[in-house]
Amino acid sequence: MKTKISPKKTPEPKKTRSRDESVTRFLQSALHLFSKHGFDATTTKMIAADAQLNEALINRYFGGKDGLLKAVLENFITSKKEEHLHTPVGENLYEEIVFQMRMKMIVFKNHKEFVRLMINQKLLDSCFNVELDKKMFEDEATFARFKKLQDKGKIQKGINLQRIVAVTYFSTMGLAFYMATSSVPLSKKIIDDLIEDSARMIDDRFGVKK
C-alpha cells in the first residue's frame, strides 16, 4: 500500500508594513508616551514596543529620539491646523484673532500633557526651541488668512503680517503656559475674556477702523 504524501503547503508571506504606516505608528506611540512620561523618561525601546515595530527603525526614519520628537511636533501642529483650514476668515482682525486663539485653546485643553512637554522642551532644549518657533512663525496658512484680511482693507497697509503672526503666537503661548502649569484652573469665562482682551489690543494696533 502506497503512503499518501500530502503536498507541502506554501508558507504565507509575512505581512510587511509600508514605511508610511510604520512612521504613523511611531508618531502615535511617541506622542502618547512623551505626553505620559515626558521626553527624558521615554526610551526608544518603549516607543518601539508600543508601536510593535523594530527599535532600529527609529534611527533609520528619524535619526534618533530627538528627531522623532521634532517629527511628532510637526505632525501634531500640522494636523491641528488642517482641522480648521477651511473655516472662513473672520470679518475683521478682531474676529480672526479670537477664532485662532480659541481654536488653539481647545487643542491645548485637550492635549495638556503634550503642551506641557512642548513648553518644558522649549525651556530646556535650545534647538527644540528654535524648531518650535520656526514652525509657528513660518505658518503659511495663518499668514494667508491675515493676507486676505489685509487685501479686504481690514489690516493697515504696509504692516508686516509676520508681526501679527508673532504677537498672536506669544499671546496664545502665554495663556497656554499658565493653563499647562498652574494648579488653579481658569474658568471658561476668564479664558474667553483674556482672549477677547488680547484680540482687542492686536486689532487696536494693526486693524483698520471705519
Side-chain angles (χ1 to χ4, degrees), residues 9-174:
K9 291 184 179 180
T10 304
E12 293 183 5
K14 290 184 179 180
K15 292 182 179 179
T16 57
R17 296 189 178 93
S18 68
R19 179 187 176 109
D20 287 346
E21 183 183 353
S22 296
V23 166
T24 298
R25 291 170 69 91
F26 276 131
L27 292 175
Q28 291 172 341
S29 293
L31 172 59
H32 169 68
L33 294 174
F34 286 156
S35 300
K36 184 177 180 180
H37 302 294
F39 178 73
D40 291 333
T42 301
T43 65
T44 54
K45 186 175 182 178
M46 291 165 61
I47 296 169
D50 188 80
Q52 297 182 342
L53 292 167
N54 191 316
E55 183 182 2
L57 292 176
I58 293 177
N59 256 340
R60 183 186 301 176
Y61 294 159
F62 307 101
K65 193 168 75 164
D66 287 340
L68 178 54
L69 175 62
K70 291 177 182 177
V72 168
L73 169 66
E74 183 173 354
N75 183 67
F76 182 83
I77 292 174
T78 300
S79 64
K80 296 309 168 187
K81 285 178 185 174
E82 289 177 351
E83 288 179 6
H84 311 291
L85 192 61
H86 303 295
T87 305
V89 177
E91 288 296 316
N92 50 53
L93 182 57
Y94 170 81
E95 286 188 11
E96 179 62 20
I97 297 295
V98 168
F99 165 75
Q100 290 194 26
M101 291 188 69
R102 279 181 178 163
M103 291 304 100
K104 288 182 174 65
M105 287 304 110
I106 290 172
V107 172
F108 294 155
K109 182 180 179 180
N110 293 337
H111 302 276
K112 284 184 180 179
E113 295 302 319
F114 185 69
V115 172
R116 189 177 293 118
L117 167 67
M118 286 198 300
I119 291 173
N120 286 340
Q121 288 303 118
K122 184 175 173 63
L123 295 173
L124 298 172
D125 185 339
S126 59
C127 292
F128 180 86
N129 184 27
V130 171
E131 199 70 27
L132 178 60
D133 286 345
K134 186 178 179 181
K135 299 292 181 193
M136 296 299 186
F137 293 147
E138 295 182 0
D139 183 353
E140 294 182 3
T142 300
F143 186 91
R145 293 176 70 91
F146 287 138
K147 183 67 170 64
K148 287 181 179 179
L149 283 174
Q150 192 172 49
D151 291 342
K152 289 168 59 178
K154 303 298 183 180
I155 295 176
Q156 299 169 31
K157 291 182 179 180
I159 292 292
N160 184 344
L161 297 178
Q162 202 68 46
R163 291 173 61 188
I164 304 179
V165 174
V167 172
T168 305
Y169 166 62
F170 286 123
S171 298
T172 306
M173 286 302 292

